[in-house]
């Protein structure tokens, strides 16, 4: 079974600074997708960024980028120029390509606080 | 498209009562997932359907929980009888296999409080 681990229960960053959230996973599959979801106080799950395991190039979405290290099974999220609206819970998630049900396995989450 | 719709958004009930949570997936999606989020266990998959058929219900905690999908546009998650430990946020998500990245679209969640 796949597992996803987020070792940082809480992180804090100063507004306009950069922060990196860590995620590691365990799988025996060779191809899969990885995601970062943001959950603000509204509880809505918002997809921030996604990565295909067979793509070596790290995904980037505006101020959000990932550092994907396949051999190390690491998938960290970097938020540049942090904004107050970035404060939320962030979840790393995994799904396998061979899994017809597209089931997502989530990490435990990291609470990000942004200081003005 | 309105996205995944869940109702109610909040539910407060007393222990022993029956609770029914509802979900309308995005039109055209053939996968539907029910997740539960708690402080202790985080986000966990309860059950998922493909073309209205339950495929994997191994995450359903016990017989008090049941889920149905009578048609492509509606699913229910029922708890009977409810217990305080069922208090959580319940999410419904939908997808279809042709989507890039097998992306799932989440509803806003139902916050359930069992007193």
């Amino acid at each position: 079974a796949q597992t996803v681990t987020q070792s940082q229960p809480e992180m804090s960053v100063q507004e306009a600074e950069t922060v990196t959230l860590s995620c590691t996973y365990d799988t025996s599959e060779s191809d899969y997708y990885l995601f970062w979801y943001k959950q603000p106080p509204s509880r809505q799950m918002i997809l921030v960024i996604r990565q295909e395991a067979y793509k070596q190039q790290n995904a980037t979405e505006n101020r959000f980028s990932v550092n994907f290290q396949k051999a190390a099974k690491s998938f960290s999220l970097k938020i540049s120029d942090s904004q107050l609206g970035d404060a939320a819970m962030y979840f790393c998630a995994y799904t396998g390509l061979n899994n017809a049900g597209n089931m997502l396995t989530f990490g435990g989450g990291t609470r990000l606080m942004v200081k003005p | 498209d309105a996205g995944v719709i869940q109702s109610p958004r909040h539910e407060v009930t007393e222990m022993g009562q029956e609770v029914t949570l509802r979900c309308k997936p995005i039109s055209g999606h053939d996968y539907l997932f029910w997740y539960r989020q708690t402080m202790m266990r985080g986000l966990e998959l309860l059950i998922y359907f493909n073309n209205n058929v339950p495929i994997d219900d191994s995450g359903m905690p016990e017989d008090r929980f049941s889920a149905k999908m009578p048609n492509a546009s509606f699913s229910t998650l029922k708890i009977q009888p409810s217990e305080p430990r069922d208090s959580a946020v319940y999410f419904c998500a939908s997808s279809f296999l042709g989507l890039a990245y097998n992306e799932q679209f989440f509803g806003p969640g139902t916050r359930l409080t069992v007193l």
Side-chain angles (χ1 to χ4, degrees):
Chain A
Q2 291 80 22
T3 59
V4 179
T5 302
Q6 294 177 248
S7 59
Q8 307 153 316
E10 281 190 1
M11 290 285 285
S12 180
V13 63
Q14 203 71 35
E15 196 176 5
E17 297 293 309
T18 295
V19 64
T20 299
L21 308 184
S22 301
C23 173
T24 58
Y25 58 94
D26 188 25
T27 182
S28 58
E29 297 176 319
S30 59
D31 208 0
Y32 43 86
Y33 297 126
L34 296 163
F35 307 87
W36 279 96
Y37 281 89
K38 171 185 178 181
Q39 188 179 41
S42 67
R43 299 197 309 266
Q44 182 70 49
M45 295 292 287
I46 302 166
L47 180 62
V48 173
I49 198 166
R50 52 200 183 183
Q51 174 83 38
E52 296 176 72
Y54 68 87
K55 286 189 176 179
Q56 293 187 340
Q57 186 174 5
N58 289 323
T60 299
E61 290 286 343
N62 301 313
R63 297 183 296 107
F64 298 87
S65 61
V66 298
N67 183 5
F68 174 50
Q69 302 289 328
K70 190 173 183 179
K73 295 181 181 175
S74 171
F75 183 61
S76 61
L77 174 69
K78 185 171 82 171
I79 306 174
S80 304
D81 185 26
S82 297
Q83 301 176 359
L84 295 178
D86 295 334
M89 284 290 292
Y90 286 82
F91 293 94
C92 179
Y94 168 105
T95 189
L97 288 184
N98 294 323
N99 187 329
N102 307 350
M103 289 183 286
L104 282 168
T105 301
F106 287 92
T110 297
R111 182 175 301 281
L112 177 65
M113 295 173 285
V114 181
K115 299 177 181 178
Chain B
D1 199 316
V4 176
I5 299 172
Q6 290 187 248
S7 64
R9 292 294 309 277
H10 305 271
E11 178 78 31
V12 180
T13 190
E14 293 190 345
M15 184 173 62
Q17 297 297 307
E18 177 180 293
V19 175
T20 299
L21 311 181
R22 298 173 175 79
C23 174
K24 176 179 169 55
I26 293 173
S27 177
H29 285 193
D30 56 0
Y31 283 88
L32 184 138
F33 305 82
W34 283 100
Y35 292 90
R36 179 173 68 174
Q37 184 179 29
T38 61
M39 289 293 292
M40 292 297 294
R41 301 176 65 89
L43 275 155
E44 52 183 346
L45 178 70
L46 298 178
I47 185 172
Y48 80 91
F49 296 82
N50 178 222
N51 291 321
N52 314 336
V53 177
I55 303 301
D56 186 346
D57 65 354
S58 59
M60 296 285 262
E62 50 198 273
D63 292 345
R64 296 184 298 106
F65 286 70
S66 63
K68 294 181 180 179
M69 192 165 186
N71 57 62
S73 59
F74 184 65
S75 176
T76 60
L77 178 67
K78 185 175 293 186
I79 308 172
Q80 166 63 21
S82 58
E83 296 182 3
R85 60 193 167 121
D86 301 331
S87 297
V89 179
Y90 291 82
F91 287 99
C92 175
S94 72
S95 179
F96 71 90
L97 202 56
L99 270 175
Y101 299 89
N102 297 342
E103 184 176 346
Q104 294 183 21
F105 292 80
F106 283 78
T110 295
R111 179 178 291 280
L112 172 65
T113 302
V114 183
L115 303 174

